[in-house]
Amino acid sequence: MYLRTMRKIFSRFRALQERRRKALAVLLDPDHCTDPDALRRTLDLVNAAGADFIFVGGSLLVESNFHSCVREVKALSRLPVVLFPGSASQVDPHADALLFLSLISGRNADLLIGQHVAAAPALRDSGMEVISTGYLLIDGGKPTAASYISQTVPVPADKPEIAAVTAMAGEMLGLSTIYLDAGSGASVPISGEMIAAVRHAVKTPLIVGGGIRTEVQAAAAFVAGADVVVVGTAFEDEPELLFAMAGAKDAFTGR
Ligand code: 1GP
């Protein structure tokens, strides 16, 4: 089953690089998707704004609606739904793919390989696309749920060389995608210098998120080398902002 799985979403990531295009992912926190009417309105806006992917997941979920959230999102949007799991319990075969995140900036064995072992049988049986992803937490000016729950120290924001060699090692280990994250709600997004250093260090698709709140910040991440920019908190605070974010993407790619 696993070997037959198509790599549709990863192929889309790759195609972005090859065609010099950019993509926008909206991160939905299942804990904030408990009201069906609000979720419907949210997805109407995501669909209309021109986002490319919907990521679903979180470092810590306190509600029990993860699976219903994934199914509802899938039913209400034509966009690919990609799981961004905080643990092995955040696996649902209704999604199109799962970022199999190994927290390579940290030294917490459970998040480097432990949760993956626990999730592997269900993932194999699901036939879902699994995208091996080197996940790096970068200091975003304050502790975040990701840094606290993972009990790891983020890469210092002024040490792009550390992020670059960490990503390089991840690529050498066979991880197919790199995700640089300042953590949800970060005070400051990841610098262009940091993103560019990682961009030059690896050939994998590069996802960047955490603390991106403006069109200018999204554009800066794209210019520095991000293939996919992820927006969560800013979208929750001001949904209409998504149109401007999508504009940043389209302006960069000249569409
Ligand atoms: C966090 O990259 C995502 O994992 C999005 O962060 O919520 O700050 O946009 P924000």
Side-chain angles (χ1 to χ4, degrees), residues 22 136 138 155-165 167 178-182 188-212 216-230:
K22 305 293 179 181
L136 282 76
I138 311 294
V155 175
D158 62 349
K159 299 291 180 194
E161 67 277 14
I162 295 179
V165 296
I178 296 292
Y179 189 144
L180 298 180
D181 196 354
V188 286
I190 299 170
S191 71
E193 188 187 0
M194 175 80 78
I195 296 168
V198 173
R199 176 69 288 161
H200 289 126
V202 298
K203 291 188 168 58
T204 68
L206 182 57
I207 303 172
V208 175
I212 295 175
V216 170
Q217 290 170 336
F222 286 137
V223 169
D227 299 303
V228 181
V229 159
V230 186

Side-chain angles (χ1 to χ4, degrees), residues 44-233:
D44 283 349
L45 199 142
V46 170
N47 293 333
D52 300 280
F53 301 100
I54 299 175
F55 288 3
V56 179
S59 311
L60 173 70
L61 302 184
V62 297
E63 304 287 348
S64 56
N65 66 328
F66 171 75
H67 296 288
S68 62
C69 174
V70 172
R71 280 196 295 275
E72 283 182 53
V73 171
K74 194 63 201 152
L76 292 170
S77 178
R78 60 182 166 69
L79 293 177
V81 175
V82 179
L83 300 182
F84 173 60
S87 73
S89 65
Q90 293 178 41
V91 173
D92 190 295
H94 294 89
D96 295 285
L98 174 139
L99 298 179
F100 208 32
L101 303 167
S102 184
L103 181 49
I104 58 176
S105 62
R107 300 298 180 264
N108 177 338
D110 192 42
L111 298 175
L112 278 164
I113 183 65
Q115 291 290 317
H116 315 70
V117 173
L123 278 174
R124 183 196 56 195
D125 290 348
S126 76
M128 194 188 323
E129 179 180 351
V130 174
I131 302 173
S132 62
T133 303
Y135 183 55
L136 282 76
L137 283 177
I138 311 294
D139 191 282
K142 70 174 194 182
T144 61
S147 62
Y148 178 77
I149 294 295
S150 69
Q151 292 290 293
T152 65
V153 180
V155 175
D158 62 349
K159 299 291 180 194
E161 67 277 14
I162 295 179
V165 296
T166 304
M168 202 184 288
E171 183 180 50
M172 288 172 176
L173 282 166
L175 299 173
S176 68
T177 297
I178 296 292
Y179 189 144
L180 298 180
D181 196 354
S184 198
S187 302
V188 286
I190 299 170
S191 71
E193 188 187 0
M194 175 80 78
I195 296 168
V198 173
R199 176 69 288 161
H200 289 126
V202 298
K203 291 188 168 58
T204 68
L206 182 57
I207 303 172
V208 175
I212 295 175
R213 296 186 156 275
T214 67
E215 179 183 356
V216 170
Q217 290 170 336
F222 286 137
V223 169
D227 299 303
V228 181
V229 159
V230 186
V231 180
T233 305

